[in-house]
Amino acid sequence: MKKITVGVAAMVFLGFTVSTAVAQLRTPSSVGTYEKGTITLESAEEIDDYIYMDMMNPQDFQKRVFLIDEEAYAAFTEGEEVDEKATKYDSKDLQGYSLENGKKFKRASYVNLFAKRKQDKIPKPLLLEVAAEGKVTVLKNITIRKVL
């Protein structure tokens, strides 16, 4: 009887732990922020400003980049909305971008070979994170899948 009680208690504890972790992952509070970085346009021109990075929606910063200047960043840190002040660049307009924390992103044609529909296998230009550079550059595609 004690083993069953302990087993049920362990399952309830595990259930609360998993539901709390999932709830924390869905909380948008501190996941979307602007980080100092440099974008490189298709014309090789470089612009230093703040890039919007949202780890809850990585498809956003892989398809397009939102850029704000110093003045808008100061307003953002004070809690103001700065979405209308952001300049949007699509992945086809950029060679890539790098962040001050050392992360680099390069444009590449991405094809999902495991897609079930044929139209999903069409190559798309995405800004993928550079995992390793050398003779061969390894890029990392960030995808979020629902666990539930």
Side-chain angles (χ1 to χ4, degrees), residues 34-95:
Y34 285 93
E35 296 186 27
K36 184 74 172 165
T38 303
I39 65 168
T40 306
L41 300 175
E42 188 64 32
S43 62
E45 178 186 350
E46 292 187 349
I47 301 173
D48 292 330
D49 267 327
Y50 291 88
I51 301 169
Y52 185 70
M53 300 296 290
D54 182 2
M55 293 310 289
M56 289 294 291
N57 301 303
Q59 67 276 8
D60 285 346
F61 61 81
Q62 290 181 1
K63 292 180 182 177
R64 65 195 68 82
V65 172
F66 293 98
L67 204 67
I68 60 171
D69 58 4
E70 294 278 343
E71 181 181 317
Y73 181 73
F76 174 75
T77 56
E78 293 174 5
E80 294 179 28
E81 283 289 325
V82 293
D83 293 340
E84 69 278 351
K85 297 178 184 178
T87 306
K88 176 181 146 186
Y89 294 96
D90 289 325
S91 61
K92 63 182 179 183
D93 301 329
L94 302 174
Q95 291 180 8

